[in-house]
Amino acid sequence: MESQSELSFEQGVKKLENILLKLESEDTPLEEMINLYEQANKLTEICRIKLDEADKRMTKLVKNNNNELVEE
């Protein structure tokens, strides 16, 4: 598995979807479910950070005196 910091947002979401499918399976043993849950928490945090970074890059806008959005 590649370094989680190298994952794109989309790759992280795809991995989360795969984990969810395994967690929903009745055949997944409890110990594996716990490990999957831990992985999902880490991936969720990585995706949240990447989303926050993208949001900051896209929203460096401020309103000027005429209430128009301008890039800061």
Side-chain angles (χ1 to χ4, degrees), residues 50-61 71:
K50 290 189 179 292
L51 194 57
D52 286 347
E53 289 170 354
D55 184 55
K56 286 177 187 173
R57 288 177 60 196
M58 293 174 53
T59 58
K60 281 198 167 194
L61 299 172
E71 191 165 346

Side-chain angles (χ1 to χ4, degrees), residues 57-71:
R57 288 177 60 196
M58 293 174 53
T59 58
K60 281 198 167 194
L61 299 172
V62 294
K63 287 188 177 180
N64 66 14
N65 292 338
N66 296 326
N67 279 337
E68 297 171 332
L69 294 178
V70 294
E71 191 165 346

Side-chain angles (χ1 to χ4, degrees), residues 9 13 27 30-32 40 43 50 54 57 60 68 71:
F9 177 79
V13 169
D27 297 329
L30 178 60
E31 189 62 33
E32 184 179 349
L43 285 166
K50 290 189 179 292
R57 288 177 60 196
K60 281 198 167 194
E68 297 171 332
E71 191 165 346

